[in-house]
Amino acid sequence: MPIAKVDGVEVEFEPGMNVLQVCELAGKEIPRFCYHERLSIAGNCRMCLVEVKPGPPKPQASCALPAAENMEIFTDTPMVKKARHGVMEFLLINHPLDCPICDQGGECDLQDQAMGYGRDDSRYAENKRAVEEKYMGPLIKTVMTRCIQCTRCVRFITEVAGVPDIGLISRGEDVEITTYLDKAVASELSANVIDLCPVGALTSKPYAFNARPWELKKTESVDVMDALGSAIRVDARGPAVLRVLPRTNEAVNEEWISDKTRYAVDGLSRQRLDRPFIRESGKLRPATWAEALEVVSATIRVTQPDRIGVIAGDLQDAESMKAAKDLFGGLGVKSLDCRQDGMVLGGGQRESWLLNSSIQGLEDADYILLVGSNPRLEAPVLNARLRKRWLAGALKVGVIGEAVDLTYAYEHLGAGPASLAGLTKSKSDFVKGLKDAKNPAIIVGAGALTRADSAAVLNAAAGVAKTFGMTWNVLHTAAARVGGLDLGFVPGEGGKSAAELVAKGGADLLFLMGADEIDLSKTSAFVVYMGTHGDAGAHRADVILPSAAYTEKNGLYVNTEGRVQMGLRAVFPKGDAREDWAILRALSERLGATLPYDTLDQLRAKLFADHPTFGRIDYVPETAAAVDFAALGKKGDLSDTPLASAVKSFYLNNPIARASTTMAECASLASGAAAKIAAE
């Protein structure tokens, strides 16, 4: 490896690194505004100046200068210090004195670097320039007079998000960042520009003027808005969650999160269930926990086990599903299901329902076939990874399903499952290349697995994967799905599926665990709803047991690649709401079938003992296990109905998002019509 000297210290570096990266290897802090590790190099802020020998006798931008063998780099010479003082002075010529009222205060790179690398005075007394504000949608607040033209936002939206809605116009003193036609940024990742902006030009519109960073309690957790399990930080003040920010996790979300992950949090404080309710004479009335649990236990006692059904929703933690399985399984109930959408997978080999390539491993794929999946809506951060691989020229994508904008080019191989069955005989360029691919993968979406002919579609997809030697991957849309399947939260022998339970005469008692995405209009069963929001399940319920949201409890979630992750409590549950497992533990005592654990740690110990995969926190096998393709689905007739994504409305696909006014506004912009929130 080549060697360079940084302030007299020899440093080994990898070929292709720039001078700034070499300085960081040596432990030297180099100030910067425009440079970002995940974006292309712009070299336009000039804050990262260093002195280099051999080279011209002037400071050079370290971000845009390739490092070379035997190069000598100086980061703290008088020339470098004077140059940085000058650059900072120029940056502050037009920057307004907004720090007391700027939302970036306390988290501002310009503040920090002005203190560390700037002069203690300014020689300029001229009037500062002013720039008109720009409209970027309901999520991004702009104060463009503060902008220092680092172009991070432009490069992110263009390169990572793949939606070139932000750009730079004019020249010199008149240069401005704008959305050209004053339209909202049409990306599911748009708000990441807020984190990237090194000043207060782009800030969070829903969070504006709410809090200062030092007022907030910061809790590291995981996201449940999709099945990716992005690493997040939950910032709360008192009982309220005020914002969600991304944490860096190279294996999952890098440092991005979707707009829904970031902004659905206002739904955590709206339309909440904060006390038990019992329906009497057609109306719900507030009740005590003792009353509600007595009604539920009495109804369970007089109902035959084969007439009881338990359905787990998409946001459930593994501990609550384990407690429910232990309780109702002990009562002889066999109709338990975590697949309220009717997914055909479950009960077989674990690898059959995992994203076996792993999220990070998909960056090594050279050919990917998407079947009934739109990753831009189902997992926007994963879609950004696929785009990154495609931009490098190393990925070819084929799609069977909807012809939608994925932000990268692909070959559309057909809309319906018949195209899947005839793929081996296709003469398309994608299939020709697939035959010689080194690391091909197939990604089957939930949209292909929740149809009437899903078993046949699954069998056809498995046949294609086996023929071309493709790694088998399933992209789920529900955060609780893989955990539920790993637990075996599926109907036992003689048990009924979720769809059968909600059919007319399917059950006499339904216990819903946050299950709001299933049609309850045909069932006449007694419905017990244990959940967080006044959504569809609560509207139909005969008894409501208020539970804790994902920010209000410690819980385990398993993402689509099988990675077990731990969510931590940021605030306490609202009102009289309780954690799900604790509600089930109290119910078991009233039923005379007390569960054998009194604390969450005891519950987890039993969970790990019964299902060892849950004990491997943050672990994904480096090598994907072989999948038994013959056991996937069964042969049958394939419908002509086109394959479609399971996510119909990206911003409104769970109870928390539907309670969010911000998500309702985003949905109305996306659809062009006024979006209804849950209460309507």
Side-chain angles (χ1 to χ4, degrees):
M1 288 173 62
I3 296 175
K5 279 187 176 181
V6 180
D7 293 337
V9 178
E10 289 191 348
V11 179
E12 280 191 344
F13 63 91
E14 294 181 13
M17 279 185 152
N18 59 38
V19 170
L20 188 150
Q21 292 170 316
V22 173
C23 291
E24 289 192 331
L25 284 178
K28 298 293 182 179
E29 182 181 342
I30 304 296
R32 85 292 297 266
F33 293 112
C34 69
Y35 176 77
H36 192 277
E37 294 83 354
R38 303 185 199 279
L39 304 177
S40 63
I41 293 171
N44 55 7
C45 78
R46 318 310 287 181
M47 195 63 208
C48 63
L49 295 172
V50 296
E51 193 177 344
V52 174
K53 293 181 181 178
K58 64 176 184 178
Q60 299 195 62
S62 60
C63 69
L65 184 64
E69 178 78 52
N70 297 324
M71 178 181 277
E72 290 189 69
I73 306 164
F74 303 94
T75 66
D76 57 359
T77 63
M79 180 196 293
V80 170
K81 290 179 180 177
K82 182 179 179 182
R84 289 176 180 170
H85 281 170
V87 170
M88 182 59 72
E89 191 174 13
F90 277 126
L91 287 173
L92 294 176
I93 285 174
N94 287 309
H95 199 78
L97 298 174
D98 278 353
C99 297
I101 60 159
C102 178
D103 268 321
Q104 199 83 349
E107 299 173 314
C108 179
D109 291 352
L110 188 62
Q111 278 183 334
D112 296 341
Q113 293 183 38
M115 290 292 292
Y117 304 98
R119 294 166 54 95
D120 58 0
D121 65 335
S122 175
R123 294 169 287 180
Y124 294 91
E126 287 78 14
N127 291 331
K128 295 177 182 287
R129 79 163 187 166
V131 182
E132 287 185 1
E133 310 309 348
K134 306 296 187 292
Y135 174 73
M136 293 190 180
L139 306 180
I140 305 169
K141 180 176 183 283
T142 65
V143 184
M144 300 314 293
T145 301
R146 301 171 186 160
C147 180
I148 60 171
Q149 290 85 45
C150 71
T151 68
R152 280 186 180 182
C153 56
V154 177
R155 284 175 284 148
F156 172 83
I157 287 294
T158 304
E159 297 165 10
V160 179
V163 181
D165 284 348
I166 301 178
L168 203 66
I169 61 169
S170 300
R171 288 179 147 195
E173 186 185 20
D174 298 323
V175 73
E176 294 182 23
I177 301 287
T178 179
T179 54
Y180 303 119
L181 300 176
D182 272 353
K183 77 181 194 69
V185 181
S187 170
E188 295 75 24
L189 298 168
S190 65
N192 286 288
V193 299
I194 295 166
D195 298 329
L196 288 171
C197 184
V199 295
L202 304 178
T203 55
S204 172
K205 190 176 283 188
Y207 176 70
F209 310 124
N210 270 352
R212 286 298 194 187
W214 53 83
E215 300 176 56
L216 304 174
K217 185 182 97 174
K218 303 166 180 65
T219 307
E220 294 186 352
S221 190
V222 294
D223 173 45
V224 299
M225 293 294 126
D226 57 34
L228 214 62
S230 299
I232 60 172
R233 192 186 85 193
V234 181
D235 287 1
R237 183 177 60 190
V241 173
L242 295 185
R243 66 176 180 178
V244 164
L245 296 177
R247 288 187 293 122
T248 300
N249 186 337
E250 297 293 346
V252 181
N253 60 307
E254 297 181 299
E255 60 185 85
W256 319 125
I257 54 173
S258 74
D259 292 347
K260 182 167 57 178
T261 298
R262 188 185 299 266
Y263 285 120
V265 290
D266 65 317
L268 291 167
S269 57
R270 299 184 72 253
Q271 300 173 8
R272 287 300 301 272
L273 302 173
D274 59 359
R275 66 180 71 178
F277 287 88
I278 298 173
R279 191 177 296 276
E280 291 180 353
S281 303
K283 292 184 178 181
L284 289 169
R285 69 161 179 88
T288 64
W289 272 108
E291 287 178 296
L293 290 175
E294 184 56 43
V295 170
V296 174
S297 60
T299 309
I300 291 175
R301 279 195 292 266
V302 299
T303 307
Q304 293 297 318
D306 62 346
R307 300 296 298 168
I308 297 175
V310 184
I311 303 174
D314 293 345
L315 307 181
Q316 289 302 119
D317 57 294
E319 292 91 339
S320 65
M321 288 188 282
K322 172 61 175 170
K325 188 181 179 190
D326 287 351
L327 171 58
F328 289 98
L331 296 174
V333 176
K334 295 181 179 179
S335 300
L336 298 92
D337 205 348
C338 65
R339 308 163 301 178
Q340 54 179 339
D341 57 5
M343 177 174 282
V344 72
L345 283 171
Q349 181 190 15
R350 184 176 190 245
E351 285 72 23
S352 67
W353 57 73
L354 296 184
L355 192 90
N356 292 289
S357 292
S358 81
I359 295 166
Q360 195 170 22
L362 283 175
E363 290 193 32
D364 297 326
D366 52 358
Y367 277 77
I368 289 180
L369 176 64
L370 299 174
V371 180
S373 175
N374 180 353
R376 181 173 174 183
L377 297 183
E378 295 164 19
V381 177
L382 176 65
N383 196 58
R385 270 195 197 266
L386 300 181
R387 174 176 166 79
K388 179 170 69 171
R389 178 73 170 164
W390 171 81
L391 273 178
L395 178 64
K396 301 289 183 184
V397 181
V399 170
I400 295 179
E402 298 171 292
V404 293
D405 179 10
L406 294 177
T407 73
Y408 44 82
Y410 60 84
E411 188 170 342
H412 191 232
L413 303 170
S419 305
L420 189 63
L423 194 66
T424 54
K425 300 177 183 177
S426 172
K427 296 181 180 179
S428 68
D429 292 339
F430 178 82
V431 174
K432 289 177 184 176
L434 192 58
K435 294 174 181 176
D436 299 319
K438 295 179 181 177
N439 192 12
I442 186 171
I443 298 178
V444 182
L449 302 173
T450 54
R451 299 158 47 102
D453 62 345
S454 283
V457 174
L458 182 60
N459 182 265
V464 169
K466 184 177 181 181
T467 300
F468 292 105
M470 307 169 87
T471 306
W472 179 258
N473 298 291
V474 176
L475 180 58
H476 293 278
T477 58
R481 186 60 47 83
V482 175
L485 296 177
D486 285 353
L487 278 167
F489 205 94
V490 293
E493 187 177 348
K496 297 177 181 178
S497 67
E500 292 170 331
L501 287 171
V502 298
K504 188 175 182 180
D508 292 337
L509 185 148
L510 279 176
F511 194 95
L512 305 181
M513 302 169 61
D516 294 285
E517 319 302 324
I518 193 165
D519 184 9
L520 299 170
S521 60
K522 296 179 181 177
T523 183
S524 57
F526 184 89
V527 176
V528 179
Y529 179 78
M530 182 177 71
T532 60
H533 284 74
D535 207 88
H539 283 217
R540 174 60 184 80
D542 294 289
V543 177
I544 293 175
L545 306 176
S547 64
Y550 75 104
T551 55
E552 299 161 3
K553 60 185 174 184
N554 297 314
L556 295 175
Y557 301 89
V558 189
N559 76 351
T560 192
E561 62 181 344
R563 183 186 302 271
V564 181
Q565 297 175 294
M566 192 173 292
L568 299 179
R569 181 174 62 200
V571 294
F572 288 97
K574 297 284 184 286
D576 290 335
R578 297 291 182 267
E579 294 181 32
D580 306 62
W581 76 267
I583 296 171
L584 292 163
R585 170 64 176 77
L587 179 61
S588 71
E589 197 168 340
R590 288 186 173 270
L591 286 168
T594 306
L595 292 171
Y597 29 78
D598 300 321
T599 66
L600 184 62
D601 287 341
Q602 291 174 357
L603 168 53
R604 282 182 176 167
K606 189 170 192 309
L607 173 65
F608 297 163
D610 294 348
H611 306 276
T613 56
F614 285 92
R616 298 198 282 267
I617 307 295
D618 203 34
Y619 168 79
V620 168
E622 292 184 7
T623 306
V627 176
D628 182 7
F629 292 114
L632 292 177
K634 57 185 177 182
K635 291 187 177 181
D637 295 332
L638 294 169
S639 166
D640 294 331
T641 307
L643 293 165
S645 171
V647 176
K648 304 305 178 188
S649 176
F650 171 73
Y651 297 104
L652 301 173
N653 71 332
N654 65 59
I656 298 174
R658 284 192 290 272
S660 164
T661 54
T662 308
M663 290 297 97
E665 193 172 350
C666 289
S668 67
L669 273 176
S671 65
K676 288 188 176 183
I677 57 178
E680 299 172 330

